[in-house]
């Protein structure tokens, strides 16, 4: 919501600065997101009076001006101009040496909307010029801001403009715009009047209500009847007939108010509807009354396939859920969104029928979204319009018609109202309000605050009775009254206290959170980016991952009211989400990537919907493209084991969504805690992937107790480590992990066993394979001498015996 400072002053005598008012508004619940100074691009530009003109000696269109810019800036400044409308005695904006004006070059503005043009002393065709005389364009204004601003030439100021005065004060740029964030429960403040009421209350100043008086005249025109066939979608419809409409130009004060809000003046009638929308928050529409077939207004649901062409010349086919305003023959407006082309106000329009109504916000929102059609009116209706303002806004519009003398207000009117306009009264306990606030607010202060907010309070003992203003649909109980009181009384009066069962804690992260953060940082150092996904996905993902019908992952918690079928079950494993991340990235040209996500998975405890699901923390990894392969995934998992001082073993996996030959179970102790592997080629083909994708998922909850991220220290060995290579003849069915486990446990000095070659064929018997390992023997801190060849031979002999005994492996 954008509110000009000068417009707010029409209703409240504001005696503080714009910045101070912004702080006041914030203190009572209205955040000023931005405070915009209209003259921020204009600096050192003053009113100058042309005292003399001399033709330029080297130009047939330039003239040398002597300009009086006042005592402070000089009475005889020489400025060269090429403007055709300059004359002696003209008062015009004068940009002095070192000044800035608005940039008018579209290309520069596109690159930098805040660009300015700097004016410096210089020579024009050999003649010294000490500034520049300005047009309206160079001040960034149009005719709505100041008459004549769009003339092709200099801006001709009023003769009474003081010489030397800052131009911003003359043309209305010495003003501020408050960009205010309005919460959803305060639609009454989506207008200038609503903010002005709050300003008056917070400053404890009288509120000057706008004039809504007018005189209605008899008319000989045939009556226009109004029927509302859908009162649930249109609780109130106010109509009024105005005849003898005149065209012309709206007064300068109205054009400027509209310009401050970013709206161009069109005609008095249209300007009035826009003005009332901005001032009162009441969207209005004006029909050409002579185009209303049958002299009727009918508010009804559209019929399927019914068509309308709106003011922007777009045609729409409607459905029964759309609300339309019809005459006796056809639709003439989309209710709350836009009028129809067949009843628009034209230059030839003589009689109009004004509409001020309340339309159901959800219906306007759904129609607007479904048709892809929106407007300032629809935006306002979607936030909510109260029935009280319908009549108030109509009265204001009729007053303006009379004040601008642009039509004759008649007595022909209609007010079809299904809403209850009786003022609501409410009684609350002051003790309960104070108990809710946790402080004692003096009764006199309560009465003063609520009176300033137009609640007409009456206090009798502990009883507080108020009459709720018609525009405050959000107030519905004593907690709402408590909120009104405290935001004006001041939140700084609230004394911080603990809840009844609260206790003081040391703060900081829990051990579990610290470990999770350490894990995330570790994965980032491995080149992974963290991903965040929804906690739910589609049941179709189970089929995509080729899960068997009896798979545990299919036993998912289902959402009772899902946003869509695509987000209807809670995740039982994270791999589908990570796969979709990879698919989206690959399809958008991000051919190489590494991502991880830590999140909870959810399993139902039983069939009761009220029972909370069992939650377990998982981490999922995804890598794709480039040189990434299975061993990059395995390396990341092994790094987790190394840093957290746990040991994993691996065995061939049979997981439905992983490649049967390029996948492994991750085992901790005797429990399978996850899988790693390449995405099944059949799934990759169905998704149209031309890059290999590798997925890994671990159950962190199963590891939680064993994870130890503490830093450990040990003495460095006194002697160097020694490597020995072994070529082993092993059964084809044996895995590398099985062999590594025996190698690592056969000798306490073996700190690393690395497979560097696998060979089949040649001299290798059928059903066998050659596996070559490099073993690293590292002396511990207690070892008193380096390993000798004999010592190493003994270690190797012991290892080979263990391999023979446990796995049937022999040395080649």
């Amino acid at each position: 919501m954008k509110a000009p400072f000068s417009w707010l002053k029409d209703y409240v005598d504001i005696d503080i600065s714009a910045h101070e008012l912004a702080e006041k508004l914030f203190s009572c619940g209205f955040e000023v997101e931005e405070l915009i100074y209209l003259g921020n691009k204009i600096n050192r530009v003053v009113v100058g009076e042309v005292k003399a003109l001399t033709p330029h000696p080297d130009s047939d269109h330039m003239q040398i001006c002597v300009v009086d810019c006042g005592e402070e800036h000089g009475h005889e400044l020489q400025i060269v101009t090429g403007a055709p409308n300059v004359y002696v005695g003209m008062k015009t904006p004068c940009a002095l040496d070192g000044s800035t004006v608005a940039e008018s070059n579209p290309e520069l503005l596109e690159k930098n909307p805040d660009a300015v043009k700097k004016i410096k002393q210089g020579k024009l065709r050999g003649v010294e010029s000490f500034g520049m005389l300005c047009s309206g364009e160079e001040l960034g204004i149009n005719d709505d801001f100041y008459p004549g601003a769009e003339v092709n030439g200099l801006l001709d100021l009023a003769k009474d403009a003081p010489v030397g005065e800052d131009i911003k004060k003359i043309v209305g740029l010495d003003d501020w715009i408050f960009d205010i964030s309005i919460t959803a429960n305060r639609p009454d403040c989506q207008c200038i009047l609503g903010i002005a009421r709050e300003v008056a209350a917070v400053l404890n100043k009288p509120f000057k209500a706008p004039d809504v008086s007018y005189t209605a005249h008899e008319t000989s025109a045939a009556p226009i009847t109004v029927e509302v066939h859908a009162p649930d979608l249109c609780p109130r419809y106010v109509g009024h007939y105005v005849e003898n409409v005149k065209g012309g130009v709206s007064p300068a004060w109205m054009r400027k108010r509209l310009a401050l809000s970013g709206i161009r003046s069109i005609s008095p009638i249209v300007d009035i509807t826009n003005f009332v929308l901005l001032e009162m928050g009441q969207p209005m529409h004006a029909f050409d009354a002579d185009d209303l077939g049958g002299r009727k207004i009918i508010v009804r649901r559209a019929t399927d396939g019914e068509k309308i062409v709106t003011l922007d010349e777009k045609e729409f086919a409607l459905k029964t859920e759309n609300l339309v305003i019809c005459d006796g023959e056809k639709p003439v407006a989309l209710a709350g969104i836009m009028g129809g082309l067949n009843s628009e106000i034209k230059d030839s329009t003589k009689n109009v029928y004004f509409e001020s109504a309340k339309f159901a916000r959800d219906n306007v929102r759904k129609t607007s979204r479904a048709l892809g059609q929106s407007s300032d009116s629809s935006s306002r209706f979607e936030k909510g319009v109260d029935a009280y303002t319908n009549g108030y806004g109509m009265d204001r519009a009729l007053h303006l018609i009379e004040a601008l003398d642009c039509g004759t207000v008649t007595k022909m009117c209609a007010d079809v109202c299904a809403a209850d306009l009786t003022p609501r009264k409410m009684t609350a306990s002051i003790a309960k309000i104070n108990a809710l606030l946790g402080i004692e607010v003096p009764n006199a202060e309560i009465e003063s605050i609520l009176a300033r907010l137009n609640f007409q309070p009456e206090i009798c003992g502990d009883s507080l009775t108020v009459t709720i203003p018609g525009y405050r649909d959000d107030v519905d109980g004593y907690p709402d009254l408590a909120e009104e009181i405290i935001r004006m009384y001041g939140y700084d009066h609230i004394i911080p206290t603990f809840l009844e069962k609260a206790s003081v804690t040391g703060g900081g992260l829990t051990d579990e959170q610290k470990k999770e953060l350490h894990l995330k940082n570790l994965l980032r150092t491995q080149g992974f980016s963290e991903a965040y996904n929804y906690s739910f996905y589609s049941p179709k993902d189970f089929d995509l991952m080729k899960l068997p019908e009896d798979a545990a992952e299919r036993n998912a918690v289902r959402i009772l009211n899902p946003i869509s079928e695509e987000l209807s079950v809670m995740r039982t494993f994270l791999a589908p989400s990570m796969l979709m991340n990879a698919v989206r990235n690959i399809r958008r040209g991000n051919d190489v990537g590494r991502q991880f996500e830590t999140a909870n998975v959810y399993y139902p405890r039983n069939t009761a919907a009220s029972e909370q699901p069992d939650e377990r923390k998982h981490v999922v990894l995804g890598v794709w493209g480039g040189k990434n392969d299975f061993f990059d995934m395995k390396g990341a998992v092994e790094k987790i084991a190394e840093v957290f001082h746990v040991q994993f073993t691996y065995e061939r996996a049979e997981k439905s969504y992983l490649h049967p030959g390029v996948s492994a179970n991750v085992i901790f102790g005797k429990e399978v805690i996850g899988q790693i592997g390449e995405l099944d080629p059949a799934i990759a083909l169905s998704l149209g992937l031309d890059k290999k994708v590798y997925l890994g998922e671990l159950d962190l909850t199963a590891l939680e107790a064993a994870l130890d991220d503490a830093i450990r220290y040990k003495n460095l060995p006194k002697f160097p480590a020694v490597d020995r290579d072994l070529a082993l003849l092993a059964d084809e069915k044996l895995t590398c992990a099985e062999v590594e486990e025996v190698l690592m446990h056969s000798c306490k000095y073996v700190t690393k066993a690395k497979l560097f070659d696998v060979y089949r064929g040649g001299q290798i018997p059928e059903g066998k394979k050659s596996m070559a390992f490099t073993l690293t023997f590292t002396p511990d801190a207690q070892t008193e001498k380096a390993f000798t060849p004999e010592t190493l031979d003994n270690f190797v002999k012991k290892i080979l015996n263990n391999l023979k005994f446990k796995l049937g492996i022999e040395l080649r």
Side-chain angles (χ1 to χ4, degrees):
M1 169 64 201
K2 292 187 177 181
F5 196 24
S6 58
W7 199 347
L8 292 174
K9 290 180 178 180
D10 288 351
Y11 312 104
V12 187
D13 291 327
I14 302 173
D15 54 5
I16 60 176
S17 69
H19 287 89
E20 289 172 317
L21 181 57
E23 292 178 4
K24 290 280 188 181
L25 286 170
F26 182 79
S27 71
C28 67
F30 294 90
E31 180 186 0
V32 179
E33 295 183 331
E34 188 178 8
L35 190 56
I36 306 164
Y37 184 57
L38 291 180
N40 63 338
K41 294 184 178 181
I42 311 301
N43 184 38
R44 283 179 55 79
V45 182
V46 300
V47 176
E49 182 177 359
V50 179
K51 292 295 188 179
L53 290 176
T54 305
H56 194 292
D58 294 326
S59 173
D60 57 357
H61 73 281
M62 288 186 176
Q63 299 192 66
I64 303 170
C65 309
V66 176
V67 183
D68 180 5
C69 290
E71 190 68 34
E72 182 180 350
H73 306 294
H75 292 291
E76 295 184 348
L77 291 181
Q78 179 173 290
I79 296 177
V80 179
T81 181
N85 64 333
V86 65
Y87 60 91
V88 174
M90 181 183 202
K91 289 186 177 180
T92 189
C94 179
L96 304 170
D97 180 31
S99 63
T100 59
V101 297
E103 178 58 67
S104 56
N105 187 320
E107 294 181 0
L108 294 177
L109 288 173
E110 186 175 356
K111 295 178 181 177
N112 179 16
D114 296 323
V116 296
K117 185 189 299 182
K118 295 181 180 179
I119 307 301
K120 295 182 179 180
Q121 174 185 342
K123 290 185 178 181
L124 292 176
R125 302 268 181 102
V127 176
E128 199 78 35
S129 182
F130 294 87
M132 183 182 76
L133 302 182
C134 303
S135 66
E137 182 180 35
E138 284 148 343
L139 299 179
I141 61 175
N142 56 34
D143 282 345
D144 292 338
F145 258 93
Y146 196 91
E150 295 180 52
V151 169
N152 181 25
L154 302 180
L155 176 58
D156 196 352
L157 300 173
K159 298 306 178 187
D160 60 353
V163 171
E165 182 67 84
D166 188 335
I167 196 65
K168 297 193 287 287
K169 296 179 180 179
I170 303 299
V171 299
L173 290 176
D174 189 26
D175 201 357
W176 296 86
I177 303 294
F178 294 82
D179 190 353
I180 305 172
S181 175
I182 307 297
T183 54
N185 67 317
R186 292 301 306 273
D188 61 295
C189 288
Q190 293 280 356
C191 60
I192 303 298
L193 205 63
I195 296 298
R197 284 191 289 249
E198 295 295 323
V199 171
V202 76
L203 297 181
N204 197 8
K205 298 273 189 178
F207 172 70
K208 294 180 284 187
D211 193 348
V212 295
S213 63
Y214 64 91
T215 302
H217 302 272
E218 296 290 346
T219 179
S220 59
I224 295 176
T225 60
V226 175
E227 301 173 18
V228 178
H229 295 174
D232 55 325
L233 302 182
C234 178
R236 189 180 187 190
Y237 189 97
V238 179
H240 211 112
Y241 181 71
V242 176
E243 60 187 7
N244 303 322
V245 170
K246 304 171 187 176
V249 179
S250 299
W253 66 265
M254 178 174 282
R255 298 203 312 274
K256 186 174 179 181
R257 292 284 178 261
L258 295 175
L260 286 170
S261 301
I263 298 176
R264 290 300 305 262
S265 174
I266 298 174
S267 68
I269 294 297
V270 176
D271 290 352
I272 286 171
T273 62
N274 287 330
F275 185 87
V276 172
L277 171 63
L278 295 171
E279 183 188 44
M280 299 273 188
Q282 175 61 55
M284 298 191 69
H285 186 65
F287 300 99
D288 188 323
D290 297 327
D291 288 337
L292 295 177
R295 304 288 284 181
K296 287 184 177 181
I297 289 287
I298 302 172
V299 185
R300 61 170 174 80
R301 287 176 168 84
T303 57
D304 271 330
E306 194 168 22
K307 294 184 178 181
I308 185 173
V309 178
T310 51
L311 288 171
D312 55 0
E313 300 183 1
K314 295 180 182 177
E315 184 177 65
F316 298 98
L318 307 177
K319 297 182 178 179
T320 54
E321 55 263 30
N322 305 138
L323 188 69
V324 289
I325 313 299
C326 303
D327 60 14
E329 304 163 358
K330 59 193 179 298
V332 292
L334 271 174
I337 299 175
M338 190 174 289
L341 190 63
N342 53 15
S343 60
E344 70 170 334
I345 301 298
K346 303 176 283 292
D347 292 340
S348 59
T349 297
K350 296 299 181 184
N351 306 298
V352 300
Y353 196 77
F354 273 95
E355 165 194 285
S356 178
K358 173 181 172 65
F359 299 116
R361 67 173 77 181
D362 57 336
N363 180 262
V364 173
R365 182 176 62 253
K366 290 174 182 177
T367 298
S368 178
R369 300 297 187 275
L371 300 180
Q373 183 78 335
S374 62
S375 63
D376 290 339
S377 292
S378 67
S379 176
R380 186 66 183 82
F381 276 117
E382 287 176 26
K383 294 178 175 70
V385 171
D386 56 85
Y388 165 82
T389 305
N390 301 156
Y392 195 34
M394 177 64 80
D395 291 345
R396 178 61 169 162
L398 298 176
H399 167 80
L400 291 171
I401 289 171
E402 194 169 80
L404 272 57
D405 192 24
C406 59
T408 302
V409 179
T410 73
K411 293 183 178 180
M412 186 194 301
C413 60
D415 187 350
V416 182
C417 185
D420 184 4
L421 298 180
T422 305
R424 292 185 296 144
K425 286 187 175 291
M426 184 172 71
T427 300
S429 164
I430 294 177
K432 290 181 71 174
I433 289 174
N434 286 330
L436 182 62
L437 297 177
I439 59 174
E440 291 289 329
V441 182
N443 284 9
E445 195 67 38
I446 292 175
E447 191 168 17
S448 172
I449 289 171
L450 293 177
R452 299 200 307 262
L453 291 170
N454 199 26
F455 278 83
Q456 303 172 37
E458 297 176 10
I459 296 178
C460 182
D462 182 54
S463 176
L464 169 65
T465 302
V466 298
T467 302
I468 301 171
Y471 50 82
R472 291 300 303 271
D473 288 344
D474 60 301
V475 177
D476 196 36
Y478 82 90
D480 296 318
L481 290 180
E483 180 184 3
E484 294 300 300
I485 293 166
I486 194 60
R487 69 187 184 87
M488 289 295 168
Y489 188 55
Y491 291 103
D492 54 328
H493 284 91
I494 294 178
I495 301 170
T497 56
F498 282 116
L499 294 174
E500 185 179 344
K501 296 183 179 180
S503 62
V504 179
T505 64
L509 301 177
T510 64
D511 289 341
E512 181 183 350
Q513 291 169 331
K514 290 177 182 177
K515 289 177 183 178
E516 183 176 338
L517 181 61
H518 192 176
L519 172 64
K520 291 180 177 182
N521 290 333
L522 168 65
L523 290 171
R524 292 187 189 104
T525 63
Q526 299 296 305
F528 287 83
S529 298
E530 186 171 6
Y532 286 88
N533 295 295
Y534 288 122
S535 295
F536 22 76
Y537 43 44
S538 170
K540 296 177 183 176
D541 288 342
F542 298 143
D543 298 327
L544 173 66
M545 304 300 273
K546 299 168 56 177
L547 294 179
E549 290 299 323
D550 59 349
E553 291 89 345
R554 285 187 180 270
N555 183 25
V557 178
R558 298 192 174 273
I559 308 298
L560 293 178
N561 56 340
I563 297 173
S564 71
E565 181 65 18
E566 301 302 313
L567 299 170
S568 62
V569 297
M570 303 296 287
R571 294 190 293 182
T572 53
F573 66 125
L574 307 181
S577 298
M578 183 56 68
L579 173 57
M580 288 300 103
N581 288 0
V583 170
R584 281 190 291 271
N585 275 277
I586 292 171
R587 288 176 178 173
R588 294 171 187 175
N590 300 319
D591 293 337
V592 182
R594 292 186 174 200
Q595 288 188 359
F596 77 92
E597 180 187 10
T598 58
N600 285 351
V601 296
Y602 305 85
Y603 285 93
R605 295 181 188 273
N606 55 43
T607 56
S610 60
E611 186 79 17
Q612 294 297 313
D614 181 27
E615 301 181 33
R616 297 182 69 85
K617 181 77 72 176
H618 277 209
V619 60
V620 63
L621 311 178
V623 299
W624 63 88
K627 296 182 179 180
N628 288 316
D629 60 15
F630 173 82
F631 295 103
D632 290 288
M633 177 67 71
K634 185 170 181 283
V637 173
E638 288 179 338
K639 192 65 177 177
I640 294 173
E642 177 187 341
V643 170
F644 286 94
H645 310 295
V646 294
Q647 188 172 356
F648 296 150
T649 56
Y650 305 88
E651 66 179 16
R652 188 183 299 275
E654 294 183 1
K655 204 66 178 174
S656 61
Y657 58 87
L658 298 178
H659 192 303
V662 192
S663 59
N665 287 326
V666 182
I667 302 171
F668 175 64
K670 295 182 179 180
E671 182 182 358
V672 176
I673 61 160
Q675 291 81 29
I676 57 175
E678 179 188 337
L679 180 67
D680 188 301
I683 297 177
L685 181 64
S686 69
L687 294 170
L689 298 178
D690 58 355
K691 303 286 186 297
K692 289 186 177 181
V693 176
Y694 299 88
L695 301 171
E697 185 166 349
L698 302 178
D699 183 348
L700 293 179
T701 301
L703 284 171
E704 183 178 348
L707 292 180
D708 179 8
D709 61 349
I711 299 174
R712 298 180 180 181
Y713 300 90
K714 63 180 181 179
N715 293 329
L716 293 173
K718 299 176 182 178
F719 305 100
V722 181
D723 289 343
R724 278 286 184 94
D725 292 342
L726 297 179
L728 307 174
L729 189 64
D731 191 84
E732 182 66 54
K733 295 182 179 180
L734 286 175
T735 64
C736 177
E738 291 174 311
V739 179
E740 279 187 0
E741 183 178 6
V742 176
L743 290 172
M744 295 295 295
H745 289 84
S746 294
C747 176
K748 69 175 184 177
Y749 296 109
V750 176
T751 55
K752 188 176 182 181
K754 182 179 180 180
L755 177 71
F756 67 87
D757 183 54
V758 177
Y759 175 71
R760 297 176 180 84
Q763 305 298 319
I764 306 302
E766 186 75 21
K768 298 286 185 178
K769 60 184 175 183
S770 173
M771 305 175 72
F773 288 87
T774 296
L775 302 183
T776 300
F777 296 90
T778 305
D780 58 26
Q782 287 72 41
T783 303
E784 295 297 331
K785 61 180 180 178
F787 290 145
T788 64
E790 292 78 14
T791 302
L792 292 172
D793 288 343
N794 288 333
F795 292 161
V796 171
K797 183 177 180 181
K798 181 180 178 181
I799 291 169
L800 292 174
N801 287 336
N802 273 337
L803 288 171
K804 175 70 174 177
F805 177 73
K806 293 182 177 180
L807 302 176
I809 293 177
E810 296 181 351
L811 184 68
R812 277 190 63 192

